[in-house]
């Protein structure tokens, strides 16, 4: 059973799927998952390395990071991912400066 089979909601053009696709040993499996999402009508937003042309060709939108050391790649992927989450929150009208339940998670020991 693949990752896509585990989804509880059907894929369609209304549900964007954000994929982190660094150029590493799992890259080919990630490309296969992107192809599966595309075959089910989903829209893929891929975050990947500059050298990952195949991934960008398959995705509806592609955000690239510079090719770098394998150990640095997760930190480089985090920056555009956080910016994407921030801008989606703003577009949805959420208060991005005071997220829900923040006080509860900070004060509970």
């Amino acid at each position: 059973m693949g990752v896509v089979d585990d989804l509880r909601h059907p894929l369609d053009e209304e549900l964007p799927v954000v994929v982190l696709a660094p150029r590493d040993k799992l890259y080919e499996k990630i490309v296969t998952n992107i192809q599966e999402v595309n075959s089910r009508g989903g829209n893929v937003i891929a975050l990947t390395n500059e050298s990952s042309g195949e991934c960008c060709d398959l995705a509806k939108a592609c955000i690239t990071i510079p090719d770098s050391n394998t150990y640095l790649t997760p930190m480089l992927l985090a920056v555009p991912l956080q910016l994407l989450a921030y801008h989606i929150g703003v577009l949805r009208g959420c208060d991005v400066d005071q997220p829900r339940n923040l006080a509860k998670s900070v004060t509970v020991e």
Side-chain angles (χ1 to χ4, degrees):
M1 177 171 7
V3 173
V4 176
D5 295 332
D6 293 338
L7 295 175
R8 302 203 191 315
H9 301 287
L11 291 173
D12 59 19
E13 61 276 350
E14 297 294 319
L15 178 68
V17 177
V18 179
V19 177
L20 302 180
R23 193 78 165 156
D24 61 8
K25 62 183 179 180
L26 297 176
Y27 181 75
E28 295 305 320
K29 289 184 180 185
I30 294 170
V31 168
T32 302
N33 285 335
I34 292 171
Q35 291 169 338
E36 183 71 23
V37 170
N38 285 339
S39 71
R40 295 179 185 218
N43 289 325
V44 175
I45 302 170
L47 280 79
T48 188
N49 301 81
E50 288 177 340
S51 64
S52 303
E54 181 182 9
C55 187
C56 286
D57 292 341
L58 294 172
K60 178 96 172 181
C62 188
I63 301 169
T64 59
I65 61 167
D67 291 325
S68 179
N69 181 311
T70 304
Y71 300 109
L72 187 59
T73 299
M75 289 184 280
L76 292 175
L77 283 172
V79 175
L81 189 60
Q82 287 180 338
L83 287 170
L84 180 64
Y86 170 82
H87 288 290
I88 289 172
V90 168
L91 286 171
R92 292 185 65 212
C94 298
D95 186 359
V96 293
D97 294 321
Q98 293 186 350
R100 287 185 332 195
N101 301 324
L102 178 64
K104 290 179 185 177
S105 64
V106 173
T107 58
V108 174
E109 290 184 21

